[in-house]
Amino acid sequence: MKLYSYFRSSAAYRVRIALNLKGLAHEISPVNLLKSEQHSNEYTSKNAQGLLPALETEHGVLAQSMAILEWLEDYSPDTPLLPTNPWDKAQVRSFCYAIACDIHPIDNLRVLKYLAAEFGATDEQKNTWYRHWIIEGFKKLEPLVVPEGPFCFGDKITLADICLVPQIFNALRFEVDMSPFPKLLAVYTHCNQLPAFDAARPENQSDAQ
């Protein structure tokens, strides 16, 4: 398998963690978002959406990180990242979608670029925007972390942890005060001590700048 990735793309970061946890052999092909390589003919011929990540498999190329994570769960079920109980599984998915659908899209690079290009937003104004929506999202997520165990939903890693860690990485990069979110930060700290998470960290990627 080949993962098209950018070292600081939080969506690609999610997939890197999952591939590592499941022990699936893969290569990473960097696509530089700052150079708009995601819009090149070479890349869009593989992923017409022109977004990261994309996973090239024996079946073809799959886009959208959550779809990729769900496919990996079916493809490699021996290392499950979703609970078996339908209700518990839905709770994990709800947590993931709160990040992937509510926080991440409005803080995406293309949104920040649009704010600058169309409305003349300064770097500080963009950073304020970014921090605001992360804080609003984290306020809703903090109460959902269960107290039993080091992960979001107890003593087993789930897709919730895989989605949370990249989002907190970005929060720290934009200097979000994490003191109001001790449970989220504790999960982040614990996960980053695990080899699969550590290997997926942005600073450990070949295209890290």
Side-chain angles (χ1 to χ4, degrees), residues 78-118:
D78 292 341
T79 307
L81 298 172
L82 283 171
T84 55
N85 178 278
W87 179 254
D88 294 340
K89 187 183 296 185
Q91 296 304 303
V92 171
R93 284 183 169 133
S94 177
F95 191 100
C96 292
Y97 296 161
I99 294 172
C101 300
D102 293 339
I103 301 175
H104 174 245
I106 54 177
D107 281 337
N108 201 289
L109 177 61
R110 58 181 176 165
V111 172
L112 300 179
K113 284 184 174 181
Y114 185 83
L115 290 173
E118 295 297 321

Side-chain angles (χ1 to χ4, degrees), residues 63-85:
Q64 293 292 337
S65 65
M66 294 310 301
I68 294 170
L69 293 175
E70 293 274 2
W71 180 80
L72 288 173
E73 189 69 354
D74 292 333
Y75 178 82
S76 178
D78 292 341
T79 307
L81 298 172
L82 283 171
T84 55
N85 178 278

Side-chain angles (χ1 to χ4, degrees), residues 14-170:
R14 298 168 195 156
V15 179
R16 293 197 302 265
I17 296 170
L19 288 167
N20 292 344
L21 285 170
K22 288 181 175 288
L24 294 171
H26 63 282
E27 63 175 297
I28 292 181
S29 180
V31 178
N32 193 316
L33 295 180
L34 297 183
K35 295 180 179 179
S36 298
E37 291 178 355
Q38 72 274 24
H39 301 310
S40 68
N41 291 335
E42 180 182 2
Y43 183 67
T44 55
S45 68
K46 297 179 181 294
N47 176 14
Q49 295 182 25
L51 299 170
L52 289 177
L55 184 67
E56 189 170 346
T57 76
E58 60 193 84
H59 307 288
V61 177
L62 183 61
Q64 293 292 337
S65 65
M66 294 310 301
I68 294 170
L69 293 175
E70 293 274 2
W71 180 80
L72 288 173
E73 189 69 354
D74 292 333
Y75 178 82
S76 178
D78 292 341
T79 307
L81 298 172
L82 283 171
T84 55
N85 178 278
W87 179 254
D88 294 340
K89 187 183 296 185
Q91 296 304 303
V92 171
R93 284 183 169 133
S94 177
F95 191 100
C96 292
Y97 296 161
I99 294 172
C101 300
D102 293 339
I103 301 175
H104 174 245
I106 54 177
D107 281 337
N108 201 289
L109 177 61
R110 58 181 176 165
V111 172
L112 300 179
K113 284 184 174 181
Y114 185 83
L115 290 173
E118 295 297 321
F119 302 107
T122 64
D123 286 345
E124 184 50 40
Q125 287 170 327
K126 287 188 294 181
N127 292 346
T128 299
W129 167 283
Y130 197 106
R131 287 191 289 265
H132 171 78
W133 292 114
I134 287 185
I135 291 168
E136 288 301 303
F138 283 1
K139 284 178 183 177
K140 311 302 189 300
L141 294 178
E142 176 76 7
L144 300 180
V145 176
V146 300
E148 302 85 9
F151 303 108
C152 289
F153 289 91
D155 60 357
K156 290 188 171 79
I157 298 171
T158 68
L159 294 183
D161 307 292
I162 288 172
C163 288
L164 177 65
V165 166
Q167 194 60 65
I168 293 186
F169 169 83
N170 282 340

